[in-house]
Amino acid sequence: MIKKKNIEFARVTHLRGPNIWTYRPVIEAWVDIGELEDYPSNTLPGLYERLVAWLPGMIEHRCGVGERGGFFERLREGTWSAHILEHVVLELQNLAGMRTGFGQTRSTSQRGVYKMAFRTREEHVGRAALAAARELLMAAINDEAYDLEAALAPLRDMVDARCLGPSTASIVDAATERGIPSLRLNDGNLVQLGHGAAQRRIWTAETDRTSAIAEGIASDKDLTKFLLKSCGVRVPEGSLVRSAEAAWEEAQDIGVPVVVKPYDGNHGRGVSLNLMTESDVKAAYELAARKGDSSAVLVESFITGDEHRLLVVGNKLIAAAKGESLWVDGDGVSTVLELVNTQINIDPRRGEGEDFPLGTVKPHESGEIVLELQRQGMTALSVPQAGQKVLIQPNGNVAIDVTDDVHPSVMHAALLAARVVGLDIAGIDLVTTDITRPLEEQRGAIIEVNASPGLLAHIKPGVGQSRPVGAAIVDHLFAAEETGRIPLIGVTGTRGASLIVRMLCKLLNLSGLHTGAVCSEGMYLDQRRVVSNDCVNWDAGQRLLLNRTVQTALFESNPRMILAEGLAYDKCQVGIVTDMGSVESVKDFDVLDDAGLYKAVRSQVDVVVPTGVAVLNAANAHVLELAELCDGTVTLYAQDGSLPAIAAQLAAGQRAVFVRGNHIVLAEGGIETVLLCLDLLKPATAGNVDSVLAVAAAAWAMNLPVDLICAGLRTFDAAPGCIGN
């Protein structure tokens, strides 16, 4: 008899950087399946049928079979519970709205214990999904009831609360497509694109190029109108008022119908349209004053036509969307609220949160709809007659893509409006009957210019094609040749790694670059130690990548850090491996032999970019084996230049650094350059020849001048207490 709930987690770790599993963050769980080790899936009655019924989407999991339905095939044939758990947790994340796909499960040296890793975009969501997956799998194994929707509800809430919104995610995904790294800076949508001095920052549709003055102008609708009108942009007639009586006087002066809205509002809140009577105007004033930050309210001429939102990024019109009126048809039985829910809110495009291009309509809560119904002599609880059409919203619901229909003169007006206000990313609201014709032909006008515009209507329009908004914003921030990356050097090993980092930090700083470094001796900015404790960890490495003054950075790592946290960076220009370390130091990670060490250390070579260089210790046979894994080129170093590996490297026309006749030699094929005599090094430095060779090779890979490399090495002092000056 199988005991219930005998799947336990011995350890759960979030690997935040490149690791032994993949380049991206994963959660690694040590899964103890207990007695289930003796019961593969094909021996558990009904397990296959229950999992297929509960999670039919897993048919898309290809697993090791490599084709659709692959995992179900493995499940039918027989696989173990830890592997099943991997697929269940991935599917739960997908169903919760956080798309993931990578997972792997491997046995350990302990019977019934597996290491299982799965991709997650947010640690807390991943951990919660793991716990839910265990409960679901145990219910399936033990033939117990399981409420999938109840389990998914909190996961979906966590995704909404903790994951990037779809607008920000579209920008981050576009950056990733271009090879630009990203770092999330808070629990919201503040994201850094790029590293160090090459970084840019976004906050959804705001960037570090977005002017605070321009945002202030955009939020002051009266000032915005004044500036636009001064530059020849068509805007509605009207002015600012501070009382309900003044609002009606202005409406009479400019002529009804009018629009009333907060002068500092956004997203259409507090806006009332097509007002004809004194009572409607005064009621609309009170609504607008409540929705805004002051009693100041705008009264403007009502422009006949449909509302449009045009998205301007930089100097380009990227997308345009059109709104439509909302109506319901009475049946003589249902209330307005019931009709809205059955005729409007039933639309799958509508819902709460950023995942829906259209919002839920709430006629009993929205002040604008309440006023519109009042003008028709109704409330949300009124029952319209059968066949009676009731206007719910005269405009808004901007979700119909019309990008390809925009007239050139309308596009020019939108671009001009964004420039006049000063926004690098702007949402231009205009009303016109026909977007394919000039505004002046149909009394169209630009009614608002918005900072931090919503992007979802263009990414997921209700009608029409999606527009590449994220890519446009990334292209606006980074020129075509820019990657947002600074040169990074990673040093992995347990012998002299910290010394190598310190020496390279000096050389790079001498070359004129503001340099950051983390190693076991601390954190360095240029040649100044700013932290004195061990900084071989992910958090310290991230601090360098966040620093906007850092133009190049160095990172020490070792097998233990890679196994416990992952590397602190996703890619590097130069990756140095000095040695493989010892099995004894990582036994608690179930790494018991050289093959396990190799799998961990190879991460340093795996992250070298195709244009980069792996610098490897040719005197270490295991390190030498890593050469075949490098996507870039390889430079070998060793004191003995007669090693077969060095000879083969030079015969192939590649680079090597070695010692001959007490001199350091830089060789590429048959061309040799004598760098310096070892006797010229300071005594403490001369006692670390292997480290000096690694530094020379890495500095050469970074294209530093030979004279600078020579001078930097000669003046570096590796003695305790010295920082290299």
Side-chain angles (χ1 to χ4, degrees), residues 272-351:
S272 300
L273 307 175
N274 199 19
L275 307 176
M276 299 290 294
T277 67
E278 179 179 1
S279 60
D280 285 346
V281 170
K282 289 183 175 180
Y285 172 88
E286 299 298 338
L287 173 66
R290 290 197 307 271
K291 295 291 186 177
D293 292 332
S294 73
S295 61
V297 168
L298 274 173
V299 179
E300 298 176 341
S301 297
F302 175 70
I303 305 299
T304 303
D306 294 317
E307 184 178 345
H308 294 74
R309 165 60 66 89
L310 277 59
L311 179 67
V312 173
V313 178
N315 293 317
K316 297 180 179 179
L317 177 67
I318 302 303
K322 174 185 173 182
E324 58 184 347
S325 301
L326 286 183
W327 300 76
V328 293
D329 295 317
D331 59 10
V333 177
S334 305
T335 65
V336 170
L337 177 59
E338 291 168 339
L339 293 170
V340 166
N341 287 332
T342 57
Q343 297 180 20
I344 297 177
N345 289 333
I346 197 173
D347 187 336
R349 299 173 296 171
R350 294 190 178 275

